[in-house]
C-alpha cells in the first residue's frame, strides 16, 4: 500500500499592504502553519502601517515606526503588481517577478481625489507640482512633515475627516493654516451642524483659519512651485504648501485591466467574490451592495469575513455589510490640555418624524445627540466626553428594537457606557 502526501492548498496571493491586506495575511497565516501559502504584495517602500494614524505622525505626536503593523507570515514582496493574467492565474509584477495564485485577493486600497483645479497640472504632466501634496500615504506624510515649519503658510483644500485631521496636525507643527471647505460645514458627512460648529471652534482656537462655502478655482505657479490659490470669488491666497484632502476613490485600475466587473469599486458579492470566482476583493477597492465605504472598519471586517471563508468555508457567514463608527481625536498640542474627542455613527441628520435626544454643555464643550426612527437607533453624534459611545455603538450595531419608554437610551447618553 502506497501512502500519498496530500497536495498543498492552492496559494493565496494578496495584492495590497494596507490594513485589509495585512489583516487577511495574518489571519490566513495563523500560528505559522500554512503561512507559506500566503504571499502579500505591497508596493510602498515602507513596512505596512496603520494609515488611520498618519495625522498623528504628521503632528509629531507619533514616530512613523510606532504605527507599523505586525509582520505578516508567508512571503512579502515589496513590488508593484502591474497585470493579472486570469487565464493562467498569474500576477505579473514591476520587478519582473511572476506569482501564481489559486485565490487572488485584491486589497489595492484607494487613491486620493485630485480636484480639477486650473493650473494644477502642466500639459502632459502626471506628477503633482512642487508645493502641492496629497495626504494619503506615508511618503505624503513625511514630505509634509519636512516641508511644514513654524510659520509656513499652508492651505488645506477639503474640510472632511481627512482635511480636518491634516489641518489640525499642521497647526500643531506651528504652520499658518487656512482650511477651505466647499460645503456649508466641516465633516458634513459625519456631523450635524451643532457638532460641526464645535469642531470649527476647536480648529479656530488652534489658529486655523476656516472658510466654509468656499470653492477653490485654481492654483498659480511661480519659480516652479505653487505659490498661490485662487478662490471662486477671485480672491487669491498666498501659500507655501497646498494640501489636497478632497477624499478618496477606490483604486480599481488593476481590476479594470483584468476585465473584472467594476463600478465605483470592484464589485463583490456576500462572499467577497468578484466576477471571477478565483478573485476576491476587500477594503477600500471593493464595492459591496452598491457601496464602496473606504473606511478602516469595513476593511477589517471584510478581511476577517474572507479569512473565515477561506479557512472554514462550511462555517463561514456571508459578509452583510459594516455599520461603521467614525472616531477622531483632535489633540491641540498644548501640554496639559484635553483633546477634542468625537464619534459619529449612522445618519447625523434627523427626519421630521424622528425622535431626537440631544444634550449639550457649552461650558464643558460636550455635545451628545442620538436619533431614533421608529423603534431603532439610526444615528448619533458625540463630542467631548465619550463615556457613552461604547454602549451607544453596540446598540446601533445590534440594530435591536428599543423599549417604548426610551429610558435605556437616556441612560446610555448620561452614564458611562464603556469605551
Amino acid at each position: 500500500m502506497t501512502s500519498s502526501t496530500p497536495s498543498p492548498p492552492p496559494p493565496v496571493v494578496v495584492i495590497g499592504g494596507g490594513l485589509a491586506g495585512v489583516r487577511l495575511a495574518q489571519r490566513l497565516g495563523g500560528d505559522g502553519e500554512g503561512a507559506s501559502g500566503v504571499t502579500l504584495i505591497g508596493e510602498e517602500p515602507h513596512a505596512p502601517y496603520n494609515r488611520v494614524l498618519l495625522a498623528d505622525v504628521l503632528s509629531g505626536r507619533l514616530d512613523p515606526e510606532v504605527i507599523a503593523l505586525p509582520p505578516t507570515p508567508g512571503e512579502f514582496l515589496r513590488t508593484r503588481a502591474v497585470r493579472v493574467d486570469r487565464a493562467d492565474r498569474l500576477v505579473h509584477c514591476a520587478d519582473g517577478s511572476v506569482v501564481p495564485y489559486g485565490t487572488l485577493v485584491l486589497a489595492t486600497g484607494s487613491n486620493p481625489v485630485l480636484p480639477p483645479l486650473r493650473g494644477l497640472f502642466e500639459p502632459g504632466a502626471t506628477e503633482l507640482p512642487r508645493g502641492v501634496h496629497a495626504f494619503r500615504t506615508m511618503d505624503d506624510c513625511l514630505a509634509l512633515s519636512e516641508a511644514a515649519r513654524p510659520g509656513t503658510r499652508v492651505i488645506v483644500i477639503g474640510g472632511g475627516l481627512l482635511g480636518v485631521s491634516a489641518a489640525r496636525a499642521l497647526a500643531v507643527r506651528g504652520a499658518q493654516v487656512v482650511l477651505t471647505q466647499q460645503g456649508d460645514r466641516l465633516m458634513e458627512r459625519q456631523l450635524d451642524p451643532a457638532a460641526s460648529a464645535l469642531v470649527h471652534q476647536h480648529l479656530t482656537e488652534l489658529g486655523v483659519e476656516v472658510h466654509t462655502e468656499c470653492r477653490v478655482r485654481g492654483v498659480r505657479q511661480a519659480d516652479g512651485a505653487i505659490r498661490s490659490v485662487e478662490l471662486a470669488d477671485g480672491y487669491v491666497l498666498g501659500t507655501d504648501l497646498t494640501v489636497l484632502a478632497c477624499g478618496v476613490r477606490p483604486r480599481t485600475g488593476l481590476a479594470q485591466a483584468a476585465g473584472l466587473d467594476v463600478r465605483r469599486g470592484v464589485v463583490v458579492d456576500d462572499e467577497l467574490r468578484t466576477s471571477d470566482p478565483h478573485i476576491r476583493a476587500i477594503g477600500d477597492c471593493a464595492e459591496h451592495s452598491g457601496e464602496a465605504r473606504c473606511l478602516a472598519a469595513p476593511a477589517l471586517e471584510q478581511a476577517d469575513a474572507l479569512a473565515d471563508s477561506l479557512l472554514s468555508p462550511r462555517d463561514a457567514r456571508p459578509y452583510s455589510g459594516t455599520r461603521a463608527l467614525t472616531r477622531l481625536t483632535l489633540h491641540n498640542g498644548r501640554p496639559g490640555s484635553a483633546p477634542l474627542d468625537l464619534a459619529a455613527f449612522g445618519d447625523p441628520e434627523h427626519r421630521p418624524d424622528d425622535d431626537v435626544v440631544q444634550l449639550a454643555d457649552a461650558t464643558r464643550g460636550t455635545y451628545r445627540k442620538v436619533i431614533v426612527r421608529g423603534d431603532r437607533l439610526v444615528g448619533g453624534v458625540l463630542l467631548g466626553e465619550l463615556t457613552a459611545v461604547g454602549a451607544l455603538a453596540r446598540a446601533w450595531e445590534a440594530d435591536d428594537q428599543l423599549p417604548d419608554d426610551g429610558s435605556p437610551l437616556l441612560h446610555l447618553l448620561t452614564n458611562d457606557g464603556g469605551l
Side-chain angles (χ1 to χ4, degrees):
M1 184 174 180
T2 304
S3 62
S4 59
T5 302
S7 58
V12 176
V13 175
V14 182
I15 301 177
L19 282 173
V22 169
R23 177 68 155 256
L24 179 63
Q26 290 169 339
R27 285 287 313 278
L28 295 180
D31 59 3
E33 296 180 10
S36 59
V38 183
T39 298
L40 182 66
I41 302 174
E43 66 182 72
E44 289 195 50
H46 311 278
Y49 56 89
N50 185 346
R51 199 180 308 277
V52 174
L53 298 176
L54 280 177
D56 287 316
V57 174
L58 179 57
S59 70
R61 183 169 174 267
L62 296 178
D63 292 328
E65 297 78 16
V66 174
I67 70 169
L69 296 173
T72 57
E75 189 174 9
F76 178 37
L77 302 180
R78 195 163 292 177
T79 183
R80 181 168 58 90
V82 296
R83 184 169 67 88
V84 175
D85 180 346
R86 292 169 54 194
D88 293 329
R89 297 187 201 169
L90 300 171
V91 177
H92 295 260
C93 300
D95 63 358
S97 58
V98 180
V99 185
Y101 67 86
T103 297
L104 176 64
V105 181
L106 301 178
T108 49
S110 54
N111 287 326
V113 172
L114 302 181
L117 301 180
R118 186 167 59 196
L120 184 60
F121 290 106
E122 296 289 341
T126 57
E127 298 292 328
L128 289 172
R130 189 159 56 91
V132 178
H133 299 267
F135 184 46
R136 183 62 184 161
T137 67
M138 179 65 78
D139 280 343
D140 296 332
C141 183
L142 296 178
L144 282 169
S145 299
E146 177 66 24
R149 308 287 183 180
T152 300
R153 298 174 302 170
V154 181
I155 295 178
V156 178
I157 302 175
L161 178 63
L162 196 63
V164 166
S165 299
R168 187 272 307 170
L170 290 163
V172 168
R173 297 185 72 90
Q176 299 176 7
V177 182
V178 175
L179 175 61
T180 66
Q181 162 70 332
Q182 186 167 328
D184 64 356
R185 66 179 188 268
L186 300 176
M187 295 182 64
E188 56 190 354
R189 292 185 178 180
Q190 294 89 10
L191 305 181
D192 67 351
S196 179
L198 288 174
V199 173
H200 189 139
Q201 177 184 330
H202 176 84
L203 291 177
T204 300
E205 290 173 353
L206 277 177
V208 177
E209 187 178 323
V210 180
H211 296 274
T212 56
E213 297 183 281
C214 176
R215 185 171 66 85
V216 175
R217 181 163 60 189
V219 293
R220 299 177 182 177
Q221 294 196 28
D223 302 323
I226 298 300
R227 294 303 181 195
S228 61
V229 168
E230 181 184 2
L231 305 182
D233 60 6
Y235 194 76
V236 177
L237 301 173
T239 184
D240 301 310
L241 285 175
T242 302
V243 181
L244 305 179
C246 305
V248 297
R249 61 167 56 96
R251 190 178 183 186
T252 60
L254 200 63
Q256 284 181 312
L260 298 177
D261 185 9
V262 175
R263 296 172 194 163
R264 182 167 182 261
V266 184
V267 178
V268 296
D269 60 15
D270 290 350
E271 304 298 327
L272 299 165
R273 187 179 292 110
T274 70
S275 52
D276 183 324
H278 301 288
I279 302 179
R280 313 290 184 102
I282 57 175
D284 288 7
C285 71
E287 178 179 328
H288 176 264
S289 295
E291 289 190 338
R293 301 291 295 277
C294 295
L295 294 170
L300 294 173
E301 285 199 14
Q302 289 172 6
D304 285 339
L306 181 53
D308 291 342
S309 176
L310 295 175
L311 293 170
S312 303
R314 293 183 178 179
D315 301 326
R317 295 182 178 180
Y319 175 73
S320 58
T322 300
R323 295 168 67 84
L325 178 143
T326 298
R327 228 179 139 163
L328 180 65
T329 298
L330 298 174
H331 297 273
N332 60 21
R334 300 189 182 103
S337 56
L340 176 67
D341 285 317
L342 67 89
F345 56 91
D347 189 350
E349 298 286 1
H350 61 272
R351 300 175 184 173
D353 56 346
D354 289 339
D355 292 320
V356 180
V357 181
Q358 190 169 334
L359 303 173
D361 186 333
T363 303
R364 300 169 67 186
T366 61
Y367 175 78
R368 298 179 181 185
K369 170 186 172 182
V370 293
I371 303 169
V372 177
R373 187 167 300 153
D375 58 3
R376 294 292 192 274
L377 181 63
V378 298
V381 180
L382 298 91
L383 279 89
E385 297 175 0
L386 298 188
T387 51
V389 68
L392 284 169
R394 287 191 292 272
W396 175 65
E397 289 167 356
D399 195 27
D400 290 334
Q401 182 177 350
L402 297 173
D404 293 336
D405 61 5
S407 55
L409 191 57
L410 284 172
H411 175 77
L412 291 178
L413 270 179
T414 56
N415 292 273
D416 185 351
L419 295 173

